[in-house]
Amino acid sequence: MVATFAVAFGVVAGTSACSLIGGRPVSQEETTRTNLANQRKVASLFLVDYPHPELTAMRFTREGERPGLGVPWSVNVVVTVAGTDYNEILATNDVWGGDRLPELHPGSTHGPVTVTYSDGTAEVFQ
């Protein structure tokens, strides 16, 4: 009985933590808008850090998230360089990782890069 009460209390506390702490619930629309803005931000940062001339496309495969415990918002993206796809993880703290990308040569710049966001919208970065 005590164990049942403890589990029930934990579930109620965990699902209502925002109201207990005074936070406000976040709508899915607001979350999606924030995630899309973060996708654009990390795409811009990545293009500055990796200006490969044969980089032609970036495609976000999910919205992204902040996993918690001080970990920054991050997202998965497929980066296309010279016709080959590379799986990368980009984060808002300007750190990224994933598959080993082709080497950059000093003074490299990227051409037009089509960035496709998780909602299917796209834009070209020059």
Side-chain angles (χ1 to χ4, degrees):
M1 174 110 165
V2 172
T4 303
F5 176 75
V7 169
F9 179 78
V11 169
V12 170
T15 58
S16 61
C18 286
S19 61
L20 293 173
I21 298 171
R24 63 181 180 84
V26 178
S27 71
Q28 182 58 44
E29 182 179 320
E30 184 177 346
T31 299
T32 298
R33 202 171 30 249
T34 299
N35 286 335
L36 292 172
N38 282 337
Q39 288 176 25
R40 189 172 200 289
K41 176 182 177 180
V42 298
S44 296
L45 291 170
F46 181 79
L47 292 172
V48 168
D49 289 346
Y50 188 75
H52 198 286
E54 294 183 272
L55 172 61
T56 56
M58 297 176 68
R59 180 178 46 85
F60 289 89
T61 59
R62 62 186 187 89
E63 273 196 10
E65 65 185 352
R66 179 182 297 273
L69 299 174
V71 177
W73 182 92
S74 60
V75 67
N76 297 61
V77 62
V78 176
V79 176
T80 305
V81 181
T84 302
D85 289 341
Y86 299 89
N87 293 305
E88 301 300 317
I89 300 170
L90 306 183
T92 52
N93 65 348
D94 199 20
V95 172
W96 50 278
D99 294 339
R100 185 177 184 93
L101 294 167
E103 190 173 322
L104 276 175
H105 300 291
S108 293
T109 59
H110 67 80
V113 178
T114 302
V115 176
T116 305
Y117 301 105
S118 62
D119 68 349
T121 61
E123 72 176 297
V124 177
F125 283 73
Q126 297 292 333

